[in-house]
Amino acid sequence: MDELIARALNTAQLRGATYADVRVVETTRQSLLVRNGLVQGIAQAEDAGFGVRVVVDGAWGFASSHRLDLGEAERVAEQAVRIARASALTKRGDVDLGPPVVQRGSYRSSVEVDPFTIPLEMKLELLLRADAEMRRVRGVTATEAEMVFIRQRKIFASTEGSFLTQEIIESGCGIEATAVGEGEVQRRSYPNSVGRHQQTRGWEFILEQDLVGNAPRIAEEVVALLRADPCPDTVTTLILGGSQVALQIHESCGHAVELDRVFGTEAAYAGTSFLTPEKLGRFRYGSEVVNIVADATVPGGLGTFGWDDEGVPAQRVDIVREGIFVGYLTDREHARQLWRLLGPSPYVTGVSGGAARAMGWNRIPLVRMTNLNLLPGSWRLEDLIADTDEGILMDTNRSWSIDDRRLNFQFGCEIAWEIRRGRKVRLLRNPLYTGITPAFWRSCDAVCDEDHWVLWGTPNCGKGEPGQIAHTGHGAAPARFRNVRVFGRR
Amino acid sequence: MLGDRRAEALLKDTLACSRADETEIVLLAEDEALTRFANNTVHQNVAETNAAVAVRVAIGKRLGSAVTNQLHPEAVQQAITRAEAAARLAPENPGFPGFPEPRPFQPVAAFHETVAAAAPEDRARMVLEVIRIADAHGAVAAGALSTSVEEVAVANSRGVFCYHAGTRVRFRTVVHREEGSGYAERVGWRWDALDIPELARSAVERALQARAPRELAPGVYPVVLDPYAVQDVVSWLGYAGAGALAVQEGRSWMNDRIGTELLSEDVTLWDDGRDPAGIPLPFDFEGVPRQRVVLVERGVPRGPVYDTITAAREGKASTGHAPLRAWPESASVGPTPMHLFLAPGDAALEDLLRELDRGLYVTRFWYTRLVHPRDCVVTGMTRDGVFWVERGEIAYPVRNLRFTQGYVQALAGVRGVGRETWLLGNGRFGAERVPALLLEAFTFTGLTEY
């Protein structure tokens, strides 16, 4: 592989590149799905290839291929250079990456038990047991149990002198039960919905989730939801479960602080952001209990790594400090652009925060979330409920939608309970809530403590053209928000 | 590009390696290039060459699968071995009817040399023209122009072999001028299916019209939807309930309504993977020829699309809508229509606006998500131009609105259908051809600040 990398970098430079990097990525993905008691599939996918990114005549070019041979390395590097020259036909300024980044080393996810060493039989048995436990509950019409394991080996090398190897391992799992009644369809998921729960950990993560132990509860809840009262249409106090807080962070903070969006480069697809540069360090994003960091160093997150896909070391960056917006997610190019626009300040260094990530060998790095974490507060959940005179507790995301500047959102949850005089008094179905991002986060008056804090995994974040799916992490605990508009299915 | 002969040789060699009772191989190959622009300059410009084989084997009724994107014999053999090992471990799946028998299919022309040969300079020149048009109006353009060659081949041990090569060119742009934005998009398999300068001009014009939007209270309004918004409606109806698995599990908007009058009689919706007016793919990922399936006929649901396994449950034949089953997750989705056509009417856009009299004219929907599967209730935002219409003419732009609306109910109130249809992309395979619609009522539930 060293020879392929050298050939690609040399070819790019000989053809005129002033900067080039090569990423070789090999991914193994093992997935198992049990549905309604039947094994729907046991599959393993192997995917490998390399991508060459170049700057020529001050403009970007990128080409990639699945064929890992020297001739292809030369062809792809030449193609990248030709593409960059075509880009330069429209350029309005030269690409500026700032000071060189020179890193060398290796990194491996912190894994106690490599999930690829666990026999498939053991994995299947666990899934079949969880599935069977859900189907024992009368009224459940469909069940699913799944596991996913990913091993990604990456080599990054650049003409600036970086050479890095990384091995990232992920383990994910989830169960889901569906019940169908008259004109009603309900679903409950555990530990998370829409893309399961996942971390950069090993088999120990799967065992900790206790899918089998939670299966009866999930199934009983989905059946109960068929007969539950609809969520009322009102303005009230809202307590969100941790996984829903994670989604709220992802959509209304994570995407809003991606600096490429702020500068318009996602305008045609993912959208832009309301968090424009003049707000940095000044804008009250949330209440004083809202502290958010982007932390690629925290163990176990789907956004945890040694270096990002530009070779920048993993970092922890403040995003919201005591409610004030103080930082962006950045890559090299956009960090430099911000520095040119605003000049140096406590919030602007001109150096990348290490948030450039690519889905694989065939995609370029974009500004992506690492682990965007809401720091824990001091409340216990039972105390938070007891402290709430009237409100609604919602848990587990069912639908999510937000406008293209990340302001107007509407989220639906799988389940809710009405709270009266500090107690959960009745189950509610089809709950939805809506709001405007800063008003919502400013209404946050309580966040639960470290005991309730979970580093949730979101393995399905879409952005970019051609499309890229990123795996991001979100540390979150249940939190309370005042005066929120809630309603039921319309 | 591999070509049909190399594809056939590869698949047959792979089949020969398998010791399973039954084997199915799907080959997917692509060469894609995409030129992305924003702030009136190209900022991302990429190309990819990739190919993968997806192997599915059955040992009795035990199934296993594997995928590799390395096509040399050793890697392919390893994929077969992994799939066989997985199948030996899997409990029997009593519902597995076996892989399909060969059925004759008609190849469809969907390959255009000019698209296949497009160079980065060709795309850059086209993008330059878009930028020039935006610049001339003081506007800022962003978007992407992509060209690709896709090859799909399927073979199985019962004698199925089919191969298809197609091209695709897709252009889309969002143009901003002050607070206004406009949108334009088309997809096609021929380069000349898209008039890119004309699309750019229409996006610029929409952006200029959309400046200085006024606030409009959320509420229920009659609407004219541009085909961009109509595509969203049609896509969700297809994805969230027009497949047999969703109907069999009772979670489709079609449940208990097949054969009944549900939508407006102006609504006729079908799926046809063989129609060159779309982006054809004439067989599915099991190698079954795609049938033209009428999903809704003059407002009456006629039934879903099937793959082999859902068809076997009802003693029917597959309609040729199988997903790529080598990935277990596809078992949750089941068969899905990917080549939807909504029947056009006879109205020009101006006629629809005149008929609307007072209401909203919406360019497109964005970030739409299913809130509830029954009635296909969807929430999302308007984007890139929404206008208040008075006495049949655009009066002024309004700020973007959130809607939460049952798409089934929306289509029950169709008062007019456009005569022009646009082909719009939706994912890697397939596309949807839809007209504009005038709807009696649409529920807007919130607004935003721009």
Side-chain angles (χ1 to χ4, degrees):
Chain A
M1 214 53 78
D2 290 3
E3 215 176 330
L4 181 143
I5 290 165
R7 179 73 66 93
L9 290 179
N10 288 343
T11 304
Q13 285 180 303
L14 286 170
R15 297 288 185 275
T18 51
Y19 170 86
D21 61 39
V22 178
R23 279 179 302 112
V24 183
V25 184
E26 296 174 16
T27 306
T28 299
R29 179 191 164 98
Q30 188 183 78
S31 47
L32 302 90
L33 176 71
V34 169
R35 200 154 196 282
N36 301 327
L38 297 174
V39 177
Q40 296 295 325
I42 308 169
Q44 188 155 308
E46 308 281 348
D47 179 87
F50 71 101
V52 181
R53 189 174 72 145
V54 301
V55 176
V56 180
D57 296 342
W60 284 116
F62 174 82
S64 60
S65 174
H66 68 123
R67 291 201 294 269
L68 292 159
D69 60 67
L70 296 180
E72 190 70 349
E74 204 167 305
R75 182 192 73 80
V76 167
E78 283 173 357
Q79 189 183 15
V81 168
R82 184 178 173 189
I83 288 171
R85 289 198 202 285
S87 304
L89 294 174
T90 72
K91 76 172 182 183
R92 300 195 169 207
D94 288 348
V95 170
D96 174 8
L97 294 174
V101 172
V102 185
Q103 295 280 313
R104 300 180 83 82
S106 61
Y107 170 89
R108 184 172 191 257
S109 298
S110 174
V111 169
E112 286 175 29
V113 182
D114 184 340
F116 288 91
T117 65
I118 301 297
L120 281 169
E121 296 95 310
M122 197 184 293
K123 295 168 179 168
L124 269 184
E125 196 220 335
L126 197 155
L127 290 176
L128 286 164
R129 279 175 54 213
D131 189 80
E133 286 296 322
M134 289 189 285
R135 285 185 298 118
R136 281 156 64 104
V137 175
R138 200 171 165 171
V140 168
T141 52
T143 55
E144 265 188 26
E146 67 159 337
M147 283 183 200
V148 170
F149 303 98
I150 298 168
R151 185 202 316 273
Q152 192 168 69
R153 294 192 172 109
K154 303 201 268 195
I155 307 174
F156 173 88
S158 76
T159 49
E160 291 174 340
S162 285
F163 192 94
L164 301 163
T165 60
Q166 300 194 72
E167 183 181 57
I168 311 282
I169 291 175
E170 295 183 10
S171 301
C173 64
I175 57 173
E176 186 178 292
T178 303
V180 177
E182 251 178 63
E184 189 55 89
V185 182
Q186 290 295 327
R187 188 183 67 206
R188 279 295 283 136
S189 316
Y190 172 83
N192 205 351
S193 61
V194 199
R196 70 199 164 264
H197 185 21
Q198 197 155 308
Q199 291 193 340
T200 50
R201 295 176 61 208
W203 181 243
E204 69 280 2
F205 170 80
I206 304 294
L207 297 180
E208 281 170 19
Q209 304 313 306
D210 189 16
L211 297 183
V212 177
N214 281 280
R217 173 179 64 83
I218 289 301
E220 283 156 14
E221 284 177 356
V222 80
V223 175
L225 279 169
L226 285 181
R227 294 184 302 274
D229 294 327
C231 181
D233 189 342
T234 186
V235 174
T236 190
T237 295
L238 177 67
I239 298 176
L240 295 178
S243 66
Q244 179 60 30
V245 172
L247 192 275
Q248 183 79 45
I249 298 165
H250 180 95
E251 299 291 354
S252 65
C253 184
H255 281 303
V257 298
E258 293 164 346
L259 193 52
D260 57 340
R261 295 175 64 113
V262 173
F263 284 128
T265 52
E266 282 288 333
Y269 182 64
T272 58
S273 173
F274 75 97
L275 284 171
T276 42
E278 78 284 356
K279 295 189 173 78
L280 191 60
R282 296 178 185 155
F283 183 73
R284 177 154 287 285
Y285 173 88
S287 70
E288 288 184 354
V289 303
V290 176
N291 289 283
I292 298 175
V293 297
D295 189 352
T297 67
V298 60
L302 289 189
T304 302
F305 45 74
W307 296 268
D308 75 359
D309 287 321
E310 290 186 309
V312 174
Q315 301 165 45
R316 175 175 158 133
V317 176
D318 281 346
I319 301 292
V320 175
R321 196 185 300 144
E322 294 181 349
I324 304 296
F325 162 57
V326 295
Y328 285 112
L329 290 160
T330 56
D331 61 5
R332 291 180 66 180
E333 186 179 12
H334 291 97
R336 194 72 182 163
Q337 200 174 338
L338 185 70
W339 185 83
R340 288 200 308 270
L341 181 73
L342 297 182
S345 81
Y347 312 111
V348 182
T349 63
V351 175
S352 170
R357 304 178 70 194
M359 182 174 79
W361 55 267
N362 52 358
R363 296 290 185 271
I364 55 168
L366 300 174
V367 177
R368 301 306 293 251
M369 284 171 246
T370 55
N371 303 299
L372 211 71
N373 303 334
L374 175 67
L375 299 183
S378 56
W379 286 80
R380 297 197 60 75
L381 181 58
E382 56 268 32
D383 296 338
L384 196 55
I385 293 169
D387 185 64
T388 303
D389 189 48
E390 191 175 303
I392 290 177
L393 165 62
M394 295 189 193
D395 202 11
T396 318
N397 182 261
R398 185 160 90 174
S399 64
W400 66 104
S401 172
I402 189 164
D403 72 32
D404 56 301
R405 293 186 196 171
R406 300 281 147 177
L407 283 165
N408 179 318
F409 61 80
Q410 178 173 307
F411 298 130
C413 288
E414 289 185 354
I415 194 164
W417 293 268
E418 184 179 15
I419 298 169
R420 276 191 187 278
R421 287 182 287 281
R423 292 180 56 225
K424 285 159 70 175
V425 293
R426 65 171 172 149
L427 192 66
L428 300 171
R429 66 177 162 165
N430 300 324
L432 296 151
Y433 68 98
T434 187
I436 299 292
T437 296
F440 183 79
W441 283 106
R442 287 173 196 164
S443 80
C444 179
D445 73 343
V447 180
C448 286
D449 64 17
E450 272 183 15
D451 291 346
H452 296 80
W453 197 84
V454 174
L455 189 44
W456 295 97
T458 302
N460 57 347
C461 172
K463 187 177 175 183
E465 293 179 285
Q468 300 197 40
I469 304 296
H471 293 196
T472 66
H474 302 288
R480 185 170 65 185
F481 303 84
R482 300 291 192 180
N483 301 313
V484 179
R485 176 77 187 274
V486 303
F487 51 101
R489 166 190 168 189
R490 288 173 188 272
Chain B
M1 189 175 170
L2 285 167
D4 56 350
R5 288 189 182 172
R6 278 175 65 199
E8 185 171 10
L10 177 70
L11 295 197
K12 289 194 169 162
D13 288 351
T14 309
L15 281 175
C17 295
S18 175
R19 288 166 297 170
D21 297 333
E22 295 186 59
T23 305
E24 175 190 89
I25 320 281
V26 180
L27 170 72
L28 302 170
E30 67 177 334
D31 274 288
E32 181 182 21
L34 183 143
T35 300
R36 201 172 187 212
F37 55 101
N39 300 316
N40 288 352
T41 184
V42 170
H43 65 112
Q44 290 164 6
N45 206 349
V46 302
E48 176 190 2
T49 299
N50 199 3
V53 289
V55 177
R56 199 158 59 119
V57 303
I59 299 173
K61 286 182 179 290
R62 301 168 190 272
L63 292 161
S65 52
V67 182
T68 180
N69 78 333
Q70 300 301 300
L71 301 189
H72 54 85
E74 193 183 323
V76 172
Q77 177 63 62
Q78 282 171 3
I80 292 270
T81 304
R82 281 197 305 275
E84 288 172 353
R88 278 187 213 100
L89 281 175
E92 287 201 340
N93 185 338
F96 174 63
F99 296 134
E101 298 285 349
R103 280 160 65 178
F105 83 96
Q106 289 297 315
V108 178
F111 191 91
H112 193 220
E113 282 295 346
T114 314
V115 176
E121 298 81 11
D122 300 327
R123 286 184 295 277
R125 273 192 289 273
M126 205 54 85
V127 167
L128 260 177
E129 177 68 4
V130 174
I131 290 168
R132 192 191 60 73
I133 292 165
D135 259 342
H137 293 85
V140 178
L145 172 60
S146 64
T147 51
S148 61
V149 176
E150 292 270 3
E151 295 172 276
V152 182
V154 184
N156 76 23
S157 50
R158 295 187 178 214
V160 164
F161 174 76
C162 35
Y163 170 88
H164 173 79
T167 50
R168 176 190 292 252
V169 53
R170 186 180 186 194
F171 170 76
R172 67 158 142 201
T173 186
V174 171
V175 174
H176 283 88
R177 169 79 197 269
E178 295 149 20
E179 285 179 297
S181 64
Y183 182 72
E185 182 205 340
R186 286 300 187 280
V187 65
W189 59 269
R190 297 181 61 84
W191 191 261
D192 49 14
L194 285 71
D195 185 342
I196 290 174
E198 183 50 38
L199 289 170
R201 277 189 282 274
S202 72
V204 167
E205 188 184 335
R206 187 63 52 93
L208 297 176
Q209 275 181 315
R211 286 176 297 171
R214 302 185 199 173
E215 194 169 306
L216 182 76
V220 180
Y221 298 103
V223 290
V224 167
L225 304 182
D226 254 350
Y228 302 124
V230 173
Q231 186 205 14
D232 192 83
V233 176
V234 164
S235 296
W236 275 113
L237 287 173
Y239 179 76
L245 187 67
V247 176
Q248 288 169 355
E249 292 185 347
R251 52 186 168 83
S252 163
W253 54 270
M254 278 194 189
N255 279 106
D256 311 322
R257 291 157 164 180
I258 292 170
T260 67
E261 288 176 16
L262 180 67
L263 309 176
S264 158
E265 66 174 6
D266 288 335
V267 176
T268 294
L269 177 68
W270 67 93
D271 187 80
D272 191 350
R274 299 173 305 181
D275 189 339
I279 302 283
L281 177 58
F283 51 85
D284 70 6
F285 297 105
E286 292 180 324
V288 175
R290 290 183 187 274
Q291 307 298 305
R292 183 180 191 272
V293 177
V294 177
L295 301 165
V296 177
E297 186 177 20
R298 297 185 62 77
V300 178
R302 290 298 179 203
V305 298
Y306 291 86
D307 59 2
T308 302
I309 199 158
T310 53
R313 273 182 210 143
E314 298 180 31
K316 293 181 172 175
S318 167
T319 57
H321 290 84
L324 188 59
R325 283 209 172 265
W327 278 277
E329 294 89 330
S330 69
S332 308
V333 179
T336 310
M338 299 191 317
H339 305 85
L340 288 166
F341 292 79
L342 184 63
D346 54 10
L349 180 66
E350 297 72 29
D351 300 333
L352 294 177
L353 293 174
R354 207 172 303 121
E355 184 70 17
L356 172 68
D357 189 36
R358 282 166 57 86
L360 284 167
Y361 172 38
V362 176
T363 303
R364 70 186 282 222
F365 294 152
W366 192 76
Y367 214 133
T368 56
R369 288 293 182 272
L370 193 66
V371 169
H372 201 285
R374 189 67 176 172
D375 299 329
C376 199
V377 180
V378 170
T379 190
M381 297 295 302
T382 64
R383 193 177 158 181
D384 302 325
V386 52
F387 304 92
W388 180 250
V389 175
E390 281 278 352
R391 289 189 284 277
E393 291 192 349
I394 290 174
Y396 51 82
V398 298
R399 288 185 174 171
N400 283 306
L401 292 152
R402 169 167 297 287
F403 67 89
T404 307
Q405 171 66 51
Y407 280 174
V408 168
Q409 278 86 354
L411 290 187
V414 175
R415 279 172 38 202
V417 183
R419 65 179 171 229
E420 191 183 347
T421 58
W422 296 352
L423 187 64
L424 303 169
N426 186 21
R428 182 173 169 190
F429 299 102
E432 281 134 13
R433 184 171 277 285
V434 294
L437 289 179
L438 165 58
L439 304 177
E440 236 162 54
F442 212 82
T443 308
F444 294 94
T445 50
L447 73 160
T448 200
E449 297 171 4
Y450 59 96

